[in-house]
Amino acid sequence: MSTADSSAKYPRAIVHVDGDAFFASCEITKNPKLRGKPVVVGGMRGIAVALTYEAKALGVVRGMPVHEIRKLCPQAVILPGDYDLYGIYARRMYAIVGRYTPLVEEYSIDECFADVSSGQVTADSGQPEEIARKIKYDLETELGISFSVGLATTKVLAKVASKHRKPSGLVCIPTGTEEEYLTNTGVGKIWGIGRATAEALYREKVTTAQEFVSKPERWITENFAKPHLMLWYELRGISVYDVHVGGGDIQKSVAATRTFRPPTKERAVIWAQLSKNIEEVCRRAREKGITGSYAYCFLKSQEFQYLRFEVPLTRHTNTPIEIAELVRPAYERAFRRGVEYRATGITLSNIRPEEIEQQDLFGTSRNLGELFSTIDKIDHKYGGNTIHLGSSMGAYGAHHTRPFALPFLGDVV
DNA sequence: TCTGGGGTCCTAGGACCC
DNA sequence: TCTGGGGTCCTAGGACCC
């Protein structure tokens, strides 16, 4: 087929790659004896975050509590997550796709987009459908994990394609053949349409992606917002979303939120939880080598109402003692008595890379920076979270709390 | 769904200004 | 000012994703 043919079929050629049951698949490559078994990767608070098709067949679903899974199928292999391992596989996935085109968007740990339009691909890669097939083959043979691959003229259609035949599907949607795929796609399954918009569409008797794109443009603009119009274009084969190369390298915020048990009205207990989140968010910021100068905090009530407050930080920082000191008064002002809370969280934003040179050479900030880098080393050596702010004490179990004093930190647990 | 955690982006409407 | 109109900026919070 000539290049002219292929650009008629694919004015833009966008591939979407999606790892099947990715975390569980990674676990199986680490331990091949698990192949063919119902494998479940557990996450926070003991719920399933990934599962093999064997586990799905037994009725296990994402989000199911581990104790329920054990009851439902005692033969299930339940593993804790190994996120370092998944990250390694993700990087290999990106690298394999990157052989065919430099335009690879590292969308998430188990997904990526690639622009394989002619003129973008490396010289000997072939036509789009051939490239999509090769990418899938390389991924599966080199990583030992199955992937679902979609090829279409836009990102949203490529997503439709990769979802269409899971697991291990290869679906190509050349221009002009969209209709049958859209007819088989529920409007709520479209990437970018969530529960709220899906319900609004159902009220208008729009239930499939095909019905959505059949509506006139005016109907979309009058009843919905800009992102939905973008989806309408994309689903009609008009590309408006670019493949963002290396877009993930400038992170805009870093967060730590935690639900705790039991829920409580106690001011001090809730502060201890928030304080623990402050420590956690700072630990992660230091790990990434970034600082922030603005903190968004929230308390979540039992009724899922959010009490929010924000705190400008006097400078860019990633040290918990500094942030806790500024957040504390704001917390005291925002706190409402008599409300039962179940979670707290903090998001650090206005992100900037950590300065190698501390700005304040004579004040405490330099010492704090050094102190926390030392703490990070201790945590690394002893398996993390060995040293805490005294204010977080209540948020950790009572068993390992023997406070001692450190300069600048006050009581440390 | 008796409801986790980490992110990003968009927008309605208030604040503010002339 | 018991008042009009119009524009821009900002932010709280909604919606969505994995």
Side-chain angles (χ1 to χ4, degrees):
Chain A
M1 192 170 58
S2 74
T3 304
D5 291 335
S6 99
S7 51
K9 279 176 94 173
Y10 299 98
R12 275 188 97 176
I14 297 183
V15 169
H16 180 244
V17 170
D18 194 348
D20 298 320
F22 190 68
F23 295 172
S25 301
C26 291
E27 295 290 346
I28 289 169
T29 61
K30 190 170 76 174
N31 180 5
K33 284 180 187 159
L34 296 175
R35 196 172 291 280
K37 293 187 180 162
V39 176
V40 175
V41 176
M44 293 288 143
R45 306 187 67 209
I47 56 160
V49 298
L51 42 143
T52 59
Y53 285 81
E54 288 83 359
K56 273 178 207 171
L58 294 169
V60 182
V61 293
R62 255 186 69 117
M64 189 179 272
V66 165
H67 62 89
E68 235 174 88
I69 298 170
R70 281 194 225 284
K71 245 186 286 170
L72 183 71
C73 48
Q75 73 273 40
V77 181
I78 299 168
L79 303 166
D82 180 353
Y83 290 84
D84 291 339
L85 178 75
Y86 314 148
I88 290 167
Y89 276 93
R91 286 193 292 278
R92 289 195 200 167
M93 168 180 78
Y94 305 143
I96 290 169
V97 178
R99 293 174 194 162
Y100 293 88
T101 169
L103 301 183
V104 179
E105 177 176 333
E106 302 174 359
Y107 181 69
S108 76
I109 197 159
D110 65 340
E111 286 178 49
C112 62
F113 291 96
D115 189 332
V116 298
S117 307
S118 62
Q120 307 293 358
V121 293
T122 51
D124 56 354
S125 304
Q127 302 300 320
E129 293 182 358
E130 178 66 8
I131 295 170
R133 197 185 57 72
K134 283 185 188 165
I135 286 174
K136 176 169 154 62
Y137 177 84
D138 289 357
L139 287 168
E140 294 188 339
T141 52
E142 293 179 37
L143 300 185
I145 292 173
S146 90
F147 285 84
S148 292
V149 174
L151 166 67
T153 56
T154 70
K155 287 171 87 173
V156 176
L157 281 171
K159 270 273 212 180
V160 169
S162 67
K163 262 192 177 185
H164 196 256
R165 201 176 298 139
K166 262 184 160 289
S168 196
L170 172 61
V171 172
C172 303
I173 308 182
T175 301
T177 67
E178 294 89 351
E179 185 166 343
E180 64 156 308
Y181 297 99
L182 299 183
T183 303
N184 290 315
T185 300
V187 79
K189 301 280 182 195
I190 298 167
W191 181 47
I193 292 186
R195 204 183 55 184
T197 307
E199 272 167 17
L201 286 163
Y202 295 151
R203 282 196 293 275
E204 301 288 336
K205 306 279 181 262
V206 173
T207 60
T208 70
Q210 179 57 30
E211 286 164 354
F212 180 72
V213 301
S214 299
K215 289 286 186 185
E217 184 169 353
R218 272 201 62 175
W219 186 85
I220 307 290
T221 53
E222 280 168 9
N223 294 285
F224 295 91
K226 187 179 147 196
H228 307 120
L229 182 63
M230 299 299 107
L231 293 178
W232 185 85
Y233 280 123
E234 286 259 324
L235 288 167
R236 293 170 76 95
I238 300 159
S239 176
V240 293
Y241 292 143
D242 272 330
V243 171
H244 293 291
V245 181
D249 54 8
I250 312 149
Q251 192 172 357
K252 299 193 170 160
S253 67
V254 49
T257 75
R258 205 63 50 184
T259 302
F260 48 85
R261 286 229 141 90
T264 179
K265 298 174 181 172
E266 291 295 323
R267 184 189 288 258
V269 175
I270 298 163
W271 169 250
Q273 293 293 339
L274 183 56
S275 177
K276 189 172 125 182
N277 283 328
I278 292 170
E279 283 188 77
E280 177 60 22
V281 85
C282 287
R283 202 185 55 70
R284 283 214 280 269
R286 290 198 301 276
E287 203 174 272
K288 294 169 190 278
I290 57 180
T291 58
S293 68
Y294 212 81
Y296 296 89
C297 304
F298 75 82
L299 312 182
K300 179 159 66 166
S301 77
Q302 270 303 77
E303 286 72 41
F304 282 67
Q305 300 283 36
Y306 288 84
L307 176 64
R308 302 171 206 256
F309 56 96
E310 39 195 87
V311 186
L313 308 174
T314 44
R315 59 181 204 113
H316 274 84
T317 179
N318 57 17
T319 54
I321 195 164
E322 230 179 326
I323 295 177
E325 208 173 278
L326 293 163
V327 166
R328 183 71 193 256
Y331 167 80
E332 296 298 345
R333 261 179 274 124
F335 184 80
R336 293 285 169 271
R337 297 174 63 178
V339 183
E340 206 166 30
Y341 292 104
R342 55 150 45 218
T344 68
I346 176 168
T347 299
L348 193 59
S349 69
N350 280 9
I351 296 300
R352 180 196 284 181
E354 213 164 23
E355 304 280 341
I356 310 281
E357 293 291 317
Q358 295 288 329
Q359 289 150 337
D360 179 3
L361 290 175
F362 305 104
T364 56
S365 60
R366 180 186 173 83
N367 297 316
L368 279 178
E370 285 174 358
L371 175 57
F372 277 98
S373 89
T374 305
I375 288 174
D376 288 339
K377 281 176 200 147
I378 295 170
D379 277 350
H380 187 71
K381 191 168 173 186
Y382 294 102
N385 289 334
T386 10
I387 297 181
H388 306 295
L389 291 183
S391 55
S392 310
M393 201 168 150
Y396 295 92
H399 49 280
H400 71 342
T401 52
R402 193 157 50 87
F404 58 96
L406 271 185
F408 310 111
L409 257 185
D411 282 341
V412 165
V413 182

